[in-house]
Amino acid sequence: MESTASLVLLIKGITNTVIRLLPIGLYSGTALSSFVFNDFRATLLFAGFMLNEFISMGYRIVLRGKENPQCALVRTENGHFTLSSPITQTVGFFCSFLLMKMYMSGQFKPLEFFVIALLLLITIWSRKNVGCSSFIDGVFSATVGMLLGAAYFSIVQDYYKQDYLNETEETTYDDVFFKL
């Protein structure tokens, strides 16, 4: 019986850690894909993530929001570090972006849809589990992220194509980036 309880605690701990580090993985993955592989779609997604962070920073400053140490990515003896965007908002942004891509392409992929929905639900559960936010706060934060992700995708959807940069030989990466 004790081994089952310790296994459950281990799985919960691993899940909470993975969810806590998920935004860093998303940011670094899109940045790496953008800079190393020159993937313009990753550049657009990374720009969206940064826009989401700046919007969160703005409403945190305006509303005088306080940081919750339970939400910290890194804790030290002297303090803690948190991103300005809550993790549920960042994951909501990412999930909404992917769902809008699926919707606009006209292809419903059930497995992709359920994995995205499961990721969002696990993120909300994880944030509640570690005491970072209540269930309602997590749902609200994820909804804000989803609205921002859907709005951002609708703005950049014409540029979000596999071979956008290769459609004409005269178009360069810098030309497209500075037209946005």
Side-chain angles (χ1 to χ4, degrees):
M1 192 67 157
E2 285 184 31
S3 66
T4 305
S6 62
L7 180 64
V8 168
L9 285 175
L10 178 66
I11 291 171
K12 284 171 74 173
I14 290 171
T15 302
N16 290 330
T17 301
V18 167
I19 295 299
R20 184 178 302 242
L21 297 175
L22 189 60
I24 301 301
L26 290 171
Y27 297 162
S28 60
T30 55
L32 182 70
S33 184
S34 173
F35 297 127
V36 173
F37 301 115
N38 202 22
D39 185 358
F40 187 65
R41 294 175 306 160
T43 304
L44 289 175
L45 186 54
F46 183 71
F49 282 140
M50 292 303 103
L51 181 66
N52 182 44
E53 285 291 331
F54 286 123
I55 290 172
S56 290
M57 185 186 305
Y59 72 70
R60 183 179 276 187
I61 290 170
V62 169
L63 298 175
R64 293 187 175 97
K66 296 186 179 182
E67 293 181 355
N68 182 350
Q70 297 296 83
C71 300
L73 291 175
V74 178
R75 285 186 226 172
T76 63
E77 295 172 3
N78 301 331
H80 58 277
F81 170 74
T82 59
L83 294 170
S84 55
S85 175
I87 292 172
T88 50
Q89 181 176 329
T90 302
V91 173
F93 180 93
F94 180 65
C95 291
S96 177
F97 192 89
L98 294 178
L99 290 173
M100 285 297 290
K101 183 183 89 142
M102 187 187 321
Y103 176 75
M104 292 303 198
S105 71
Q107 297 176 346
F108 179 72
K109 300 174 184 171
L111 181 61
E112 186 176 331
F113 174 80
F114 289 115
V115 167
I116 291 169
L118 185 64
L119 176 66
L120 191 58
L121 289 173
I122 289 173
T123 302
I124 293 169
W125 169 83
S126 172
R127 301 292 77 206
K128 182 192 176 307
N129 186 45
V130 298
C132 178
S133 65
S134 68
F135 178 76
I136 298 297
D137 289 338
V139 169
F140 176 75
S141 178
T143 302
V144 169
M146 292 182 77
L147 291 172
L148 289 172
Y152 182 72
F153 185 83
S154 66
I155 292 169
V156 301
Q157 71 180 344
D158 292 336
Y159 304 103
Y160 195 79
K161 298 176 186 167
Q162 178 75 24
D163 293 327
Y164 183 76
L165 295 176
N166 297 331
E167 287 180 358
T168 63
E169 289 191 27
E170 296 131 24
T171 307
T172 64
Y173 188 86
D174 293 330
D175 291 338
V176 173
F177 188 76
F178 290 112
K179 285 181 184 177
L180 296 177

